[in-house]
Amino acid sequence: MSTEEIESKLKIDLITDTGFLIEQIVNDLEGRIQLDISLNPLLRDTIIDEDPSFSPAW
Amino acid sequence: MILNSIHEISIKLKNREISVKNLIDDLINDVAARDSNLGAFVSFDPELLLQDAKQADDQIALSKFLGTLHGIPIGIKDIIDVAGYPTRCGSEIYSGEHKKTNATVVDDLRTSGAIIAGKTTSHELACGVTSPPGSNPWNINYIPGGSSGGSGVAVACGYLRAALGSDTGGSIRIPASLCGIVGLKPTYGLITTTGIEPLSTSLDHVGPLTASVEDCALVMNSLVNSRRVDYDSELDNGINGMRIGVLAGKPFSPMHSAVQQAFENAIIRIQELGARCVNIEIPELEHTLAVEFGIIPREAAEHHIGSLRKSPELISEPIRTLLVAGRIMPKTSYLRACQGRKIISRAIRCAFEENYLDAVITPSLPATAAKKGQKKFSFGDMTEDISVSYVRTTAPFNISGQPAISIPCGRDSTGLPIGLQIATRPYQESRALRIAHTFANGIGWSLLPPKSF
């Protein structure tokens, strides 16, 4: 995600002052994107459910 | 005053050998003497406590004894609303205004006659593992764990027999393990979180931290009265014939050698007590952290968006970063993590069913308490953030929502506690308590609070 994209998303979300540099957000997001990609072997061809709700019952 | 259980205290109160005022006077004096070093409480009101004590004593005098928790002081993590106290969640974004109503769990405790001892230290927004200014009672240069660190300290140092905490990625079991006490994360949704500030609503649980397994069961009886289960009724039934899975592989390894040794000793002891231990691996659990950290930011950011917009400077940088990520990462990432959760939960269920398991055991944490200010652990060639280390072994059971209890099982060479984690099928808290109780008796563990500072 580019710096411009991030700044644009924050602006739309009315987060005008994150209190730190955009570069820090970029670095953090890089890590999170990698974490998301790491789910690929777990998810494989699973169709992603639009309903995130969860029940623990077996 | 050293008393060995809530049950023992309760008998003495009912027989008027001691009064609730005696208990509360001791508590007030103890906190005054020690809490500047220990940092268990963020709100502690002696006047309110003495009023509650008088009311409890008056009821006992009129033979209106409400039950085993009558007159017992219990600490409440400062993300849980208590009327007459502010709820600050370890954060400056909360106003400090006194709440007018109780969280449901607090109402339940009060109905059982318990005294609310005060609000215990929470890591900021319940989102961290160190809980400053809390100190580990076994060595005040070390962290108590978090985010329910204050509750862990209050029980471990002997102020209280019980306190409530919350657990989104380990926040009851981490301080329980690091402080050498019992901590139970119940089944997801079993105990209502109404009146509790959320971190991540689909992963949040509320539960007790206690000085013994029996005390844990008694508190659970108060919190879960709707299910009509007596959580202490099975405690002495033993574990003969049970099948217990020993979870190996990621994310439970690597671990420090002292933890490894204590865990291996625990396995031997459990087998000596009559259970059969079966080694199992669940490869899907390798993705625990990706799922946990894929869910939390979006849900946390949804709750805190107002503060993120108006006063981000009042939120510490690591948490602010997490919240911003929660707003920026695409929804598909969140849904992928949620899907991963369902796959992991199904894999754990299959492991239980295919191996006919009553429970699984793991080390609660791969390491003992970190020093204050320490950022990383080393595991051989690998280094890891302490928060990652602590969450990777506990989060699997937040993801699956099944009950998981941490019980002390040893110490490292410096005397810091090590925990054993026992997880059972959903809604089988009684079984988890029974295994923990049998194990604790089997190794002769009972909490002897460390000498005061």
Side-chain angles (χ1 to χ4, degrees):
Chain A
M1 210 178 286
S2 70
T3 305
E4 291 74 26
E5 270 179 284
I6 291 170
E7 282 176 331
S8 167
K9 279 179 183 268
L10 289 176
K11 200 170 171 184
I12 290 167
D13 211 7
L14 305 175
I15 300 171
T16 52
D17 172 20
T18 59
F20 42 56
L21 299 171
I22 282 290
E23 284 74 21
Q24 284 172 263
I25 301 174
V26 169
N27 290 337
D28 177 73
L29 286 175
E30 231 347 277
R32 293 186 193 276
I33 289 166
Q34 291 307 313
L35 215 51
D36 178 46
I37 291 170
S38 77
L39 285 174
N40 286 349
L42 180 72
L43 297 175
R44 292 190 211 161
D45 302 323
T46 314
I47 296 169
I48 303 299
D49 197 341
E50 287 288 315
D51 175 13
S53 64
F54 173 77
S55 166
W58 288 3
Chain B
M1 185 185 312
I2 305 286
L3 289 162
N4 289 327
S5 66
I6 287 178
H7 184 67
E8 184 182 329
I9 299 170
S10 179
I11 290 173
K12 287 186 185 292
L13 285 172
K14 197 173 182 188
N15 294 342
R16 298 199 229 170
E17 292 170 52
I18 59 173
S19 66
V20 180
K21 185 174 186 303
N22 292 148
L23 289 181
I24 298 304
D25 280 341
D26 274 1
L27 173 63
I28 291 170
N29 292 337
D30 208 1
V31 170
R34 298 199 282 157
D35 215 43
S36 56
N37 279 323
L38 290 170
F41 286 101
V42 291
S43 296
F44 187 77
D45 190 331
E47 236 179 79
L48 211 54
L49 274 166
L50 288 167
Q51 277 173 31
D52 285 347
K54 182 174 185 324
Q55 182 179 32
D57 278 329
D58 288 347
Q59 285 169 324
I60 293 172
L62 292 170
S63 299
K64 287 182 187 168
F65 197 71
L66 295 173
T68 315
L69 293 187
H70 190 123
I72 304 295
I74 298 185
I76 307 294
K77 182 180 184 180
D78 195 24
I79 68 165
I80 301 171
D81 286 348
V82 177
Y85 288 89
T87 298
R88 276 184 285 233
C89 310
S91 170
E92 292 175 36
I93 64 175
Y94 288 86
S95 68
E97 191 183 310
H98 287 209
K99 294 293 178 181
K100 295 189 172 51
T101 56
N102 292 321
T104 304
V105 288
V106 173
D107 274 338
D108 287 340
L109 290 175
R110 284 210 182 274
T111 301
S112 302
I115 305 272
I116 302 305
K119 304 302 285 303
T120 59
T121 304
S122 168
H123 195 104
E124 184 187 1
L125 302 184
C127 189
V129 298
T130 59
S131 310
S135 302
N136 195 306
W138 301 96
N139 186 326
I140 59 170
N141 298 311
Y142 289 75
I143 63 168
S147 58
S148 311
S151 288
V153 174
V155 172
C157 78
Y159 292 158
L160 305 170
R161 296 294 303 185
L164 292 192
S166 69
D167 192 314
T168 304
S171 292
I172 287 171
R173 292 159 289 156
I174 295 168
S177 182
L178 299 186
C179 292
I181 60 172
V182 179
L184 171 64
K185 180 201 75 64
T187 304
Y188 178 72
L190 178 66
I191 302 177
T192 179
T193 53
T194 302
I196 301 177
E197 282 294 298
L199 169 58
S200 181
T201 50
S202 76
L203 291 167
D204 289 340
H205 301 65
V206 59
L209 293 91
T210 57
S212 73
V213 179
E214 302 98 307
D215 291 345
C216 190
L218 290 172
V219 175
M220 284 293 289
N221 284 350
S222 168
L223 298 177
V224 194
N225 46 43
S226 61
R227 288 188 77 84
R228 297 190 187 132
V229 176
D230 281 331
Y231 288 98
D232 56 327
S233 63
E234 272 187 48
L235 288 180
D236 292 319
N237 290 0
I239 59 172
N240 209 31
M242 279 195 187
R243 283 177 64 88
I244 295 181
V246 178
L247 266 175
K250 290 181 181 181
F252 307 102
S253 60
M255 58 185 101
H256 284 165
S257 57
V259 173
Q260 178 85 45
Q261 189 60 66
F263 184 55
E264 286 169 7
N265 290 344
I267 295 167
I268 292 169
R269 197 70 195 102
I270 283 171
Q271 290 179 126
E272 287 171 349
L273 290 165
R276 180 155 174 216
C277 287
V278 178
N279 286 333
I280 61 166
E281 281 196 46
I282 305 176
E284 289 84 351
L285 287 177
E286 183 186 343
H287 301 279
T288 292
L289 291 177
V291 167
E292 177 85 5
F293 295 152
I295 291 175
I296 289 176
R298 188 175 184 91
E299 294 185 356
E302 206 167 293
H303 184 67
H304 290 294
I305 182 62
S307 298
L308 203 51
R309 285 173 180 150
K310 289 184 215 146
S311 45
E313 71 283 358
L314 296 181
I315 306 171
S316 70
E317 199 174 288
I319 297 176
R320 211 185 318 139
T321 311
L322 178 144
L323 296 176
V324 166
R327 298 300 292 180
I328 291 183
M329 287 293 285
K331 188 176 178 186
T332 48
S333 300
Y334 170 71
L335 291 176
R336 279 164 54 87
C338 292
Q339 192 71 34
R341 177 184 197 175
K342 291 172 185 169
I343 295 171
I344 286 176
S345 298
R346 206 174 310 135
I348 295 175
R349 177 181 180 172
C350 286
F352 266 77
E353 289 174 352
E354 286 165 11
N355 293 281
Y356 306 99
L357 299 178
D358 295 281
V360 293
I361 55 172
T362 81
S364 297
L365 305 175
T368 53
K371 269 193 171 163
K372 288 180 182 175
Q374 181 178 353
K375 301 290 182 205
K376 292 195 187 283
F377 283 127
S378 294
F379 299 96
D381 295 334
M382 182 185 109
T383 59
E384 194 174 52
D385 279 354
I386 65 162
S387 54
V388 170
S389 296
Y390 288 153
V391 169
R392 62 175 158 87
T393 51
T394 49
F397 306 113
N398 294 84
I399 289 169
S400 66
Q402 65 199 103
I405 188 169
S406 179
I407 173 90
C409 71
R411 299 285 180 93
D412 72 8
S413 59
T414 68
L416 290 169
I418 297 169
L420 173 71
Q421 177 170 240
I422 302 162
T424 51
R425 295 166 186 246
Y427 305 107
Q428 291 194 354
E429 282 75 9
S430 291
R431 182 160 295 175
L433 289 161
R434 174 175 158 189
I435 298 169
H437 179 69
T438 306
F439 176 76
N441 284 350
I443 62 169
W445 174 75
S446 64
L447 177 65
L448 286 174
K451 300 282 181 211
S452 57
F453 293 93

